[in-house]
mmCIF file of all heavy atoms in Angstrom:
data_model
loop_
_atom_site.group_PDB
_atom_site.id
_atom_site.type_symbol
_atom_site.label_atom_id
_atom_site.label_comp_id
_atom_site.label_asym_id
_atom_site.label_seq_id
_atom_site.Cartn_x
_atom_site.Cartn_y
_atom_site.Cartn_z
ATOM 1 N N ARG M 200 26.299 7.832 24.980
ATOM 2 C CA ARG M 200 26.468 6.836 26.058
ATOM 3 C C ARG M 200 25.781 5.542 25.620
ATOM 4 O O ARG M 200 24.653 5.265 25.995
ATOM 5 C CB ARG M 200 25.841 7.348 27.352
ATOM 6 C CG ARG M 200 26.466 8.643 27.868
ATOM 7 C CD ARG M 200 25.620 9.255 28.957
ATOM 8 N NE ARG M 200 26.248 10.413 29.562
ATOM 9 C CZ ARG M 200 26.086 11.663 29.127
ATOM 10 N NH1 ARG M 200 25.317 11.927 28.073
ATOM 11 N NH2 ARG M 200 26.691 12.665 29.738
ATOM 12 N N ARG M 201 26.480 4.761 24.811
ATOM 13 C CA ARG M 201 25.864 3.550 24.237
ATOM 14 C C ARG M 201 26.344 2.280 24.904
ATOM 15 O O ARG M 201 26.004 1.185 24.470
ATOM 16 C CB ARG M 201 26.163 3.472 22.739
ATOM 17 C CG ARG M 201 25.428 4.518 21.918
ATOM 18 C CD ARG M 201 25.740 4.317 20.444
ATOM 19 N NE ARG M 201 25.218 5.403 19.644
ATOM 20 C CZ ARG M 201 24.176 5.299 18.816
ATOM 21 N NH1 ARG M 201 23.542 4.165 18.697
ATOM 22 N NH2 ARG M 201 23.785 6.334 18.113
ATOM 23 N N ASP M 202 27.144 2.435 25.945
ATOM 24 C CA ASP M 202 27.800 1.269 26.524
ATOM 25 C C ASP M 202 26.940 0.640 27.619
ATOM 26 O O ASP M 202 27.322 0.605 28.781
ATOM 27 C CB ASP M 202 29.169 1.707 27.076
ATOM 28 C CG ASP M 202 30.107 0.536 27.183
ATOM 29 O OD1 ASP M 202 29.772 -0.534 26.635
ATOM 30 O OD2 ASP M 202 31.158 0.691 27.833
ATOM 31 N N TRP M 203 25.768 0.105 27.261
ATOM 32 C CA TRP M 203 24.873 -0.502 28.241
ATOM 33 C C TRP M 203 25.105 -2.013 28.265
ATOM 34 O O TRP M 203 25.307 -2.613 27.205
ATOM 35 C CB TRP M 203 23.416 -0.166 27.891
ATOM 36 C CG TRP M 203 23.201 1.307 27.919
ATOM 37 C CD1 TRP M 203 23.264 2.171 26.856
ATOM 38 C CD2 TRP M 203 22.978 2.126 29.072
ATOM 39 N NE1 TRP M 203 23.086 3.469 27.268
ATOM 40 C CE2 TRP M 203 22.910 3.470 28.624
ATOM 41 C CE3 TRP M 203 22.838 1.864 30.438
ATOM 42 C CZ2 TRP M 203 22.686 4.536 29.502
ATOM 43 C CZ3 TRP M 203 22.621 2.928 31.301
ATOM 44 C CH2 TRP M 203 22.551 4.246 30.835
ATOM 45 N N PRO M 204 25.076 -2.628 29.445
ATOM 46 C CA PRO M 204 25.384 -4.066 29.523
ATOM 47 C C PRO M 204 24.408 -4.919 28.704
ATOM 48 O O PRO M 204 23.194 -4.705 28.753
ATOM 49 C CB PRO M 204 25.249 -4.390 31.014
ATOM 50 C CG PRO M 204 25.220 -3.089 31.732
ATOM 51 C CD PRO M 204 24.791 -2.043 30.765
ATOM 52 N N LEU M 205 24.972 -5.864 27.955
ATOM 53 C CA LEU M 205 24.182 -6.739 27.075
ATOM 54 C C LEU M 205 24.464 -8.191 27.425
ATOM 55 O O LEU M 205 25.495 -8.500 28.016
ATOM 56 C CB LEU M 205 24.570 -6.478 25.613
ATOM 57 C CG LEU M 205 24.453 -5.041 25.102
ATOM 58 C CD1 LEU M 205 25.044 -4.919 23.700
ATOM 59 C CD2 LEU M 205 23.000 -4.569 25.104
ATOM 60 N N MET M 206 23.544 -9.071 27.037
ATOM 61 C CA MET M 206 23.785 -10.516 27.205
ATOM 62 C C MET M 206 23.347 -11.214 25.914
ATOM 63 O O MET M 206 22.572 -10.644 25.136
ATOM 64 C CB MET M 206 23.020 -11.051 28.421
ATOM 65 C CG MET M 206 21.529 -10.782 28.383
ATOM 66 S SD MET M 206 20.778 -11.162 29.989
ATOM 67 C CE MET M 206 19.042 -10.938 29.578
ATOM 68 N N PRO M 207 23.806 -12.447 25.676
ATOM 69 C CA PRO M 207 23.470 -13.111 24.407
ATOM 70 C C PRO M 207 21.970 -13.385 24.287
ATOM 71 O O PRO M 207 21.314 -13.700 25.284
ATOM 72 C CB PRO M 207 24.243 -14.431 24.469
ATOM 73 C CG PRO M 207 25.275 -14.235 25.512
ATOM 74 C CD PRO M 207 24.742 -13.234 26.483
ATOM 75 N N ALA M 208 21.453 -13.273 23.075
ATOM 76 C CA ALA M 208 20.059 -13.641 22.805
ATOM 77 C C ALA M 208 19.957 -15.167 22.816
ATOM 78 O O ALA M 208 20.971 -15.863 22.747
ATOM 79 C CB ALA M 208 19.632 -13.075 21.452
ATOM 80 N N GLU M 209 18.720 -15.678 22.924
ATOM 81 C CA GLU M 209 18.568 -17.137 23.055
ATOM 82 C C GLU M 209 18.436 -17.860 21.728
ATOM 83 O O GLU M 209 19.007 -18.922 21.519
ATOM 84 C CB GLU M 209 17.367 -17.447 23.942
ATOM 85 C CG GLU M 209 17.692 -17.131 25.393
ATOM 86 C CD GLU M 209 16.648 -17.646 26.351
ATOM 87 O OE1 GLU M 209 16.047 -18.698 26.086
ATOM 88 O OE2 GLU M 209 16.435 -16.970 27.364
ATOM 89 N N GLN M 210 17.647 -17.296 20.805
ATOM 90 C CA GLN M 210 17.320 -18.024 19.571
ATOM 91 C C GLN M 210 17.976 -17.443 18.321
ATOM 92 O O GLN M 210 17.882 -18.041 17.264
ATOM 93 C CB GLN M 210 15.797 -18.029 19.356
ATOM 94 C CG GLN M 210 15.009 -18.625 20.502
ATOM 95 C CD GLN M 210 15.133 -20.144 20.552
ATOM 96 O OE1 GLN M 210 15.289 -20.792 19.537
ATOM 97 N NE2 GLN M 210 15.081 -20.698 21.749
#
Side-chain angles (χ1 to χ4, degrees):
R200 299 167 174 90
R201 290 183 188 251
D202 203 11
W203 299 95
L205 304 173
M206 56 191 186
E209 287 190 33
Q210 303 286 329

